[in-house]
Amino acid sequence: MVADHLRRRDIHDQRVLAAFAAVPRERFVPEDLAERAYDDAPLPIGEEQTISQPYVVAITAQALRLQGHERVLEIGTGSGYAAAILGVLAHEVISVERIETLANRAIAALDSLGFTNVHVHHTDGTLGWPAGAPYEAIAVAAGAPAPPPALLAQLAIGGRLVIPTGGADSQRLVRITRKSDIDYGEEDLGDVRFVPLLGAQGWPVPSTR
Ligand code: SAH
């Protein structure tokens, strides 16, 4: 089971482990891959995108230090799996996805599991979701050349932004903490590989997409 695997690595937040035990990952992967749903690996979900590796979702969730009262913004809904995990850990989740078919599939999966506190929107998440700001936590599930200014602006004071930044092929996962109106701290959480964050404040959108 995923939670056992995560416990053996450096995931020690009990609420995070409980969330992984509670959310059935097979409901967020294509039916023909259901038997691989509990491998600690990314899997294709269509539209050239992947459901993130559980360990990476867990590192991100743990780094957000959620206690249950927060409003969280997620950029890159994909399958909706990480949004569901965040929905267990926080009060409300707003998740934004740029590919409409993925957003619709994620909404269906989340609805079928009874998540009423996770709201998925189809738009460019590099601009955040200003209507819900400020957020105590923001998780970005796609690699950015640099943290989008819109997301930094929508972070509450004391809030945490976890985002992969760097090149298109590999990134560093960083946690940015907003210390005041103008001060932000940054910590390195390790090497990761994410699909690119495409949009106005991310990588340029290829003309075929
Ligand atoms: N958290 C997801 C991971 C999906 S992969 C899961 O658990 O399944 C990252 C997703 O980010 C892809 O679906 C991709 O389409 C999306 N994405 C890339 N750029 C984006 C942007 N600017 N706004 C919103 N979503 C974006």
Side-chain angles (χ1 to χ4, degrees), residues 49-52 74-82 96-99 102 123-126 141-142 195-198:
Q49 306 303 320
T50 53
I51 179 173
S52 301
E74 185 201 28
I75 308 305
T77 316
S79 66
Y81 177 65
V96 178
E97 170 58 53
R98 66 177 286 276
I99 299 178
L102 295 181
T123 187
D124 175 6
T126 66
V195 297
L197 183 75
L198 305 177

Side-chain angles (χ1 to χ4, degrees), residues 125-150:
T126 66
L127 301 175
W129 187 259
Y135 300 96
E136 283 92 31
I138 303 179
V140 181

Side-chain angles (χ1 to χ4, degrees), residues 53-65:
Q53 177 191 1
Y55 177 67
V56 172
V57 179
I59 283 285
T60 302
Q62 181 166 275
L64 291 174
R65 297 210 174 110

Side-chain angles (χ1 to χ4, degrees), residues 1-116:
M1 190 221 262
V2 168
D4 291 328
H5 180 81
L6 297 175
R7 204 175 283 115
R8 274 183 256 119
R9 297 186 66 177
D10 46 357
I11 306 301
H12 42 74
D13 181 328
Q14 293 303 320
R15 294 184 73 246
V16 171
L17 291 166
F20 277 85
V23 177
R25 191 170 183 247
E26 78 271 9
R27 299 285 287 273
F28 296 90
V29 304
E31 260 172 44
D32 56 328
L33 296 178
E35 63 187 32
R36 287 165 59 195
Y38 293 99
D39 295 354
D40 190 21
L43 294 170
I45 54 171
E47 312 293 331
E48 297 175 36
Q49 306 303 320
T50 53
I51 179 173
S52 301
Q53 177 191 1
Y55 177 67
V56 172
V57 179
I59 283 285
T60 302
Q62 181 166 275
L64 291 174
R65 297 210 174 110
L66 300 171
Q67 294 176 344
H69 56 80
E70 300 85 356
R71 188 166 58 245
V72 179
L73 176 66
E74 185 201 28
I75 308 305
T77 316
S79 66
Y81 177 65
I85 295 282
L86 295 171
V88 174
L89 292 170
H91 178 64
E92 186 183 9
V93 177
I94 295 173
S95 184
V96 178
E97 170 58 53
R98 66 177 286 276
I99 299 178
E100 189 169 16
T101 51
L102 295 181
N104 289 337
R105 257 184 245 152
I107 289 168
L110 290 160
D111 279 354
S112 75
L113 289 168
F115 280 93
T116 53

